[in-house]
Amino acid sequence: MATVRICLCGDEGTGKSSLITSLVKDIFVTNKIQPVLPNITIPPSIGTPENVTTTIVDTSALPQERANMDKEIHKSNVILLVYSDHYSYERVALFWLPHFRSLGVNVPVVLCANKSDLCANISTEQVVEDEMLPVMAEYKEIDSCIRTSAREHHNINEVFFLCQKAVTDPIAPLFDSKESNLKPSCVSALERVFYLCDKDQDGFLSDNEIYEFQTKCFGKPLGEDDLENIKQAIQRYDSTSVTPKGISQQGFILLNKMFAEKGRHETIWIILRTFHYSNSLSLQPTFLHPRFDVPTNTSAELSPAGYRFFVDLFLLFDKDNDGGLSPTELSSLFAPTPGLPSTWSADSDTFPSSTVRNEANYITLQGWLAQWSMTTFFSPKTTLAYLAYLGYDPPDHNTTSALHLTKPRKRTRRGKRYAKTERNVLLAYILGPAGSGKSSLLDAFLSRPFSPTYHPTIKPRTAVNSVELPGGKQCTLILEELGELEPAILENTAKLSAADVIVYTYDSSDPDSFAYIPSLRTQHAHLDEMPSLYIALKADMDRSTQTGDVQPEEYTSVLGMAKPLHVSVTWGSISEFFVQVAEAALWPGGAMPEGKEGEDEGEWVRWWVVGGAVVAVGAAAAAIWRRVGRD
């Protein structure tokens, strides 16, 4: 917040203007001062919290000035309500606080008992107990209270400091004074902080973890004696919250509750802001959703730092070291988040349906990394948000360092061949008639057992896994079956161009199956511009002659492409097919129809021939002209 605007209110004669002059001049002004002082602006350099500019606004309680006062109240961030005797005190609850509510303003109020020098025989504790606490119990908008004297310059700086802190470090979002408890949203935020600081996830903050927490939040180390005092203070509340392992989550919450009860809520705000919380106790939008644009023909992938973070996260929560994350372990991992990303699954019971699982149906490390690679490919903003939730916080606080952009896909200079795709995450659309075996192909990609039962695919379905290429290099391959959305997706240029390769499938045992592919390519002519493979599935069954106008081998031959690959998901060699899909995506030139792949080259050759012909004709004309000239 750039500016704190303090509006002083209260009955006439309570000393509002004297408080301001005593602050500015650092002495009590005995001469008569004007009824309403002009606005005073205090620059950030003069000891203001959070490095803010403070504007102090004086007001008059006279009826004829009510409109101006109400206008200033609406413009303020905090109200300093001043009283000085029994009459003005009674008016606090009878007029002033109800009036603020009638204006519809929702700003903190600091209650100030001024002219304490006139009541020297009454202690501050008695004033707080008899006057201030009853009003604070009834009106929750009162943030704090203080006793001052402009004449004796008592608590003058402190009263304005309280006003500043009421805005920069408000108590209202943190603590329910009526219930004497931290508010649920504050507890939730502190639980996430505890989770991120509990590096070994044993449920306790060890001494070393507390030292790291102290340095991170406050920029200075915590002494051993100070840590021992903290533990003793927590134990006085709850002896079970401190164990030889360290401070439990409950103990950490109790510690922050003590800060709030003692008026040290700025300490809680320092902690929360270190972990990127805003005044609304939600993560700051710039941290949760940083700007990350993906230009056309490029894609987003995890960077080495991003891969390392997700690997470490998996290993940390795989408590039983069985190589998979059980539902309980997944629940613990996603505790500081809203839950599984909505794009992963409708509910945790069906996750992970799109990636690699072990025998117990738990997601493996290979599947975990593949899943995040796919999430980053389709929705980098989702990955960035979850990186923030899960605690990825590099020194520059820029979570986009966990991602990087690929080079744009483009042809070589002359267009002779399509250039190699500089990507590690590749997308293949699986097209073909119903019943051709597309879903079984996706199951085989994830090493799922073959099921002879036919289940039609309604919604788009994806499968993602890593593929090892010749030479040992690995890439992540996404296979997507489009379901009933196939026509809409193929008509969407942006959706279609996102794919690296098209895989056309047909059932080699069904004589009517292949006819679907030429029909589909006729309906969507721009499919000619996509790298593609032709796959004859169910090769373990008797092969049928296709009833269409042309046989598959003839069709691909006319296109200048390789013959359809005959594969079966029941064969052990099916894994080699996925390598071929990845290679076609990486080197698209070899998977283009001949007319398209050589189109630019042919155009260049034609121009070369035409140019040569023009030169030859010109040379012949010159020779004839010279001969005619000699004759």
Side-chain angles (χ1 to χ4, degrees), residues 511-559:
D512 300 320
S513 185
F514 183 76
Y516 178 87
I517 295 175
S519 174
L520 182 71
R521 296 183 77 248
T522 301
Q523 295 173 36
H524 307 281
H526 44 282
L527 287 173
D528 287 349
E529 302 169 5
M530 297 292 296
S532 53
L533 292 176
Y534 290 80
I535 311 299
L537 290 171
K538 304 183 183 181
D540 56 316
M541 302 176 68
D542 291 339
R543 180 178 174 182
S544 297
T545 301
Q546 298 297 308
T547 58
D549 295 334
V550 62
Q551 294 302 304
E553 290 76 8
E554 297 171 358
Y555 184 81
T556 53
S557 177
V558 169
L559 292 175

Side-chain angles (χ1 to χ4, degrees), residues 285-305:
T286 53
F287 180 66
L288 195 60
H289 304 292
R291 182 172 181 178
F292 188 81
D293 298 323
V294 182
T296 305
N297 290 328
T298 65
S299 62
E301 296 180 359
L302 291 173
S303 68

Side-chain angles (χ1 to χ4, degrees), residues 330-346:
L330 269 177
S331 178
S332 298
L333 190 155
F334 282 99
T337 75
L340 290 177
S342 58
T343 55
W344 284 19
S345 177

Side-chain angles (χ1 to χ4, degrees), residues 156-376:
I156 299 302
N157 292 336
E158 288 77 1
V159 68
F160 290 100
F161 182 78
L162 280 178
C163 291
Q164 293 167 333
K165 298 300 283 184
V167 178
T168 60
D169 300 322
I171 185 65
L174 306 178
F175 192 70
D176 188 332
S177 56
K178 188 173 183 179
E179 299 292 335
S180 191
N181 272 320
L182 294 172
K183 291 187 174 179
S185 55
C186 178
V187 172
S188 178
L190 290 172
E191 286 175 346
R192 177 177 173 273
V193 171
F194 181 91
Y195 165 97
L196 297 179
C197 295
D198 183 13
K199 301 298 185 182
D200 56 6
Q201 289 298 310
D202 65 347
F204 295 89
L205 293 184
S206 65
D207 290 358
N208 287 334
E209 288 170 340
I210 292 173
Y211 292 143
E212 289 180 14
F213 165 79
Q214 167 75 18
T215 303
K216 178 181 178 70
C217 293
F218 303 99
K220 56 184 179 181
L222 183 69
E224 293 184 8
D225 293 340
D226 294 330
L227 177 56
E228 190 59 34
N229 291 335
I230 289 173
K231 291 181 178 180
Q232 291 176 2
I234 295 173
Q235 285 178 312
R236 284 194 289 269
Y237 274 79
D238 182 4
S239 60
T240 64
S241 293
V242 179
T243 73
K245 287 186 175 181
I247 298 174
S248 68
Q249 184 184 85
Q250 178 62 26
F252 182 71
I253 301 300
L254 281 174
L255 177 62
N256 283 276
K257 179 185 176 184
M258 286 187 281
F259 290 149
E261 289 174 334
K262 294 178 180 179
R264 293 178 54 194
H265 42 279
E266 69 273 8
T267 302
I268 303 176
W269 279 117
I270 291 173
I271 294 171
L272 294 176
R273 286 175 182 141
T274 299
F275 288 87
H276 308 286
Y277 281 93
S278 65
N279 279 10
S280 63
L281 292 182
S282 59
L283 287 176
Q284 296 169 357
T286 53
F287 180 66
L288 195 60
H289 304 292
R291 182 172 181 178
F292 188 81
D293 298 323
V294 182
T296 305
N297 290 328
T298 65
S299 62
E301 296 180 359
L302 291 173
S303 68
Y307 274 112
R308 183 75 259 167
F309 176 78
F310 283 117
V311 168
D312 292 343
L313 204 62
F314 182 97
L315 297 177
L316 177 62
F317 282 90
D318 183 17
K319 296 295 186 182
D320 52 10
N321 295 316
D322 65 345
L325 293 180
S326 67
T328 301
E329 291 168 339
L330 269 177
S331 178
S332 298
L333 190 155
F334 282 99
T337 75
L340 290 177
S342 58
T343 55
W344 284 19
S345 177
D347 57 78
S348 57
D349 294 336
T350 58
F351 174 80
S353 62
S354 59
T355 192
V356 185
R357 303 182 298 209
N358 62 14
E359 296 79 4
N361 283 333
Y362 300 161
I363 187 171
T364 64
L365 177 59
Q366 178 181 342
W368 173 254
L369 295 177
Q371 186 74 25
W372 280 113
S373 295
M374 180 171 69
T375 302
T376 305

